[in-house]
Amino acid sequence: MVSLASFRKRLAARQQNSFGERPVVIACLGDSVTHGVFEVTEAVGQSSGGMQLTYDAGAVYHARLKQLLDLFYPAAAVQVINAGISGDSAAGGAARLERDVLSFSPDLCIVCFGLNDATGGKAGLQGFRQALTEILDRLADIPTILLTPCRMNTTVSGFITGDALRAAAERCRETQTTGVLAAYVETVRDLAGSRGVALCDEYARYEAWAAEGIDTDRFLANAINHPLRDIHLLWAYDLLALLVG
């Protein structure tokens, strides 16, 4: 894989020579977290499949990352392609990679999957690995970061109302507490190590917090699987540290 050093050179080149270099493009491929979904309420009959989704484009991690990069490289004109789709999986991301990522000729790609994939249980691990491998193969000439997801809920909040939402919370609670999501995260870590891909391991933060007795459920905007806006900001700082030190 191409190292992040080449991306840093692109940032510097555009910063120093705006006439001679095109704007820097970052593509972010993922699920609802990347798409920018935060709170979710049940709304039967809505086109979203019975769920009312709250989007906040300015609070999602890659929007915050752009703001930070603009501070360091104001002339780089960093552009972010939001290639997240709520409800999507790694296989879905692989299927739409050409349309949603490669067609924009990105200088960097950030890939974050696992939350929806993990609800398929450990039986889906092989398919998850295959889909991520395909994505990485096709991004081989583009600097790439694999971003691990947040922890899901470990309890079902009493604030969750509606049968469909409670069923989703129960399913995610089981996925989290039985180690299934952790197994998917290990797959991401293993691929990052074996392929030489940069890893931004946010799940490790949650593991450390939980080990200190911190209730990580408090960091979920929808009480199930979407990080709070402040957590997205933390992710942006972690990504910035990988990119510019």
Side-chain angles (χ1 to χ4, degrees):
M1 297 295 293
V2 179
S3 75
L4 296 183
S6 63
F7 177 73
R8 296 187 192 102
K9 289 179 182 178
R10 260 293 281 139
L11 279 171
R14 168 67 186 190
Q15 177 70 21
Q16 296 164 9
N17 182 12
S18 299
F19 282 102
E21 297 281 340
R22 67 180 180 87
V24 175
V25 178
I26 299 174
C28 299
L29 181 68
D31 51 34
S32 55
V33 174
T34 298
H35 204 171
V37 180
F38 289 87
E39 294 79 19
V40 180
T41 56
E42 192 161 336
V44 177
Q46 295 292 320
S47 60
S48 56
M51 302 295 175
Q52 183 67 46
L53 309 179
T54 298
Y55 291 85
D56 190 343
V60 67
Y61 67 86
H62 46 75
R64 300 291 189 93
L65 176 62
K66 171 179 162 49
Q67 292 171 348
L68 293 170
L69 287 171
D70 286 344
L71 288 175
F72 285 81
Y73 301 93
V78 173
Q79 305 297 306
V80 174
I81 305 301
N82 186 342
I85 294 183
S86 180
D88 204 9
S89 64
R96 58 189 176 83
L97 189 66
E98 177 62 41
R99 183 195 71 181
D100 293 356
V101 173
L102 297 176
S103 64
F104 294 96
S105 300
D107 300 291
L108 172 74
C109 187
I110 301 171
V111 180
C112 184
F113 286 108
L115 293 177
N116 295 318
D117 304 84
T119 59
K122 289 188 176 180
L125 275 169
Q126 182 177 356
F128 179 66
R129 176 181 285 273
Q130 289 173 343
L132 274 185
T133 297
E134 178 184 346
I135 290 171
L136 294 177
D137 283 345
R138 296 171 65 190
L139 293 175
D141 296 328
I142 299 169
T144 300
I145 297 174
L146 284 175
L147 175 65
T148 57
C150 63
R151 273 168 55 104
M152 294 177 176
N153 58 303
T154 59
T155 62
V156 177
S157 171
F159 291 102
I160 297 176
T161 59
D163 293 342
L165 264 182
R166 290 194 69 82
E170 287 285 1
R171 183 169 62 253
C172 288
R173 180 200 60 76
E174 182 177 2
T175 301
Q176 178 62 56
T177 59
T178 58
V180 174
L181 180 57
Y184 278 77
V185 170
E186 281 301 319
T187 298
V188 176
R189 291 168 174 164
D190 180 63
L191 282 173
S194 64
R195 301 291 296 265
V197 178
L199 177 68
C200 187
D201 197 350
E202 295 303 327
Y203 193 84
R205 280 188 176 275
Y206 287 83
E207 291 177 314
W209 289 332
E212 292 296 324
I214 296 172
D215 178 12
T216 59
D217 286 22
R218 295 190 294 109
F219 304 145
L220 296 169
N222 65 341
I224 302 175
N225 59 358
H226 295 160
L228 295 172
R229 289 162 179 80
D230 286 343
I231 298 296
H232 276 261
L233 179 58
L234 178 61
W235 291 16
Y237 278 111
D238 289 343
L239 287 165
L240 181 73
L242 276 177
L243 294 175
V244 303

